[in-house]
Amino acid sequence: MALPESAQLNALFESILCLQNAAECRKYLEDLCTMKELRAMAQRLEIARRLDQGESYLSTVEHTGASSATVSRVNRCLEYGAGGYRMMLARLPKLEDEA
């Protein structure tokens, strides 16, 4: 499902593109999102990484603490989504070393 075009969404995307490093990103997202939202996004990225590496649903659930519904949702995005997860996984290979 594609996001609808809106001035608010475009402003959000443009604001993210203005960030220059991880420290700025941390500050911005800490103000923009709740801790629960940030943890959920981080968990989804970890789920995507594990699934992309061929890990099973069950193992992914056990390692991340996510529900099977969340793992399924991330997998659906990996398979049929806009390609954002795969793009970021390809750009951030160091994630594999840190997990």
Side-chain angles (χ1 to χ4, degrees), residues 7 9 22 24 26 34 40 43 51 57 60-61 64 73 88 95:
L9 281 175
E24 285 186 5
R26 177 183 286 271
T34 65
Q43 183 184 59
L51 292 174
Y57 272 39
T60 299
V61 166
T64 64
R73 192 174 317 120
M88 291 313 296
L95 289 175

Side-chain angles (χ1 to χ4, degrees), residues 36-55:
K36 184 176 180 178
E37 291 166 334
L38 288 171
R39 285 187 180 128
M41 288 187 283
Q43 183 184 59
R44 289 182 201 130
L45 181 59
E46 175 64 10
I47 291 166
R49 184 190 70 76
R50 289 177 177 277
L51 292 174
D52 187 59
Q53 291 180 338
E55 191 169 304

Side-chain angles (χ1 to χ4, degrees), residues 5-72:
E5 277 292 323
S6 81
Q8 286 181 328
L9 281 175
N10 288 338
L12 173 63
F13 301 148
E14 290 296 328
S15 73
I16 291 169
L17 290 172
C18 291
L19 299 169
Q20 296 181 4
N21 55 49
E24 285 186 5
C25 186
R26 177 183 286 271
K27 288 178 185 179
Y28 185 53
L29 291 180
E30 190 174 318
D31 286 347
L32 185 65
C33 303
T34 65
M35 185 55 65
K36 184 176 180 178
E37 291 166 334
L38 288 171
R39 285 187 180 128
M41 288 187 283
Q43 183 184 59
R44 289 182 201 130
L45 181 59
E46 175 64 10
I47 291 166
R49 184 190 70 76
R50 289 177 177 277
L51 292 174
D52 187 59
Q53 291 180 338
E55 191 169 304
S56 72
Y57 272 39
L58 182 58
S59 180
T60 299
V61 166
E62 289 174 0
H63 283 105
T64 64
S67 69
S68 58
T70 299
V71 173
S72 178

Side-chain angles (χ1 to χ4, degrees), residues 84-95:
Y85 279 127
R86 293 208 190 275
M87 176 184 61
M88 291 313 296
L89 291 170
R91 291 182 184 176
L92 297 172
K94 66 181 178 182
L95 289 175

Side-chain angles (χ1 to χ4, degrees), residues 74-90:
V74 171
N75 189 62
R76 206 168 31 254
C77 288
L78 277 170
E79 296 300 321
Y80 307 108
Y85 279 127
R86 293 208 190 275
M87 176 184 61
M88 291 313 296
L89 291 170

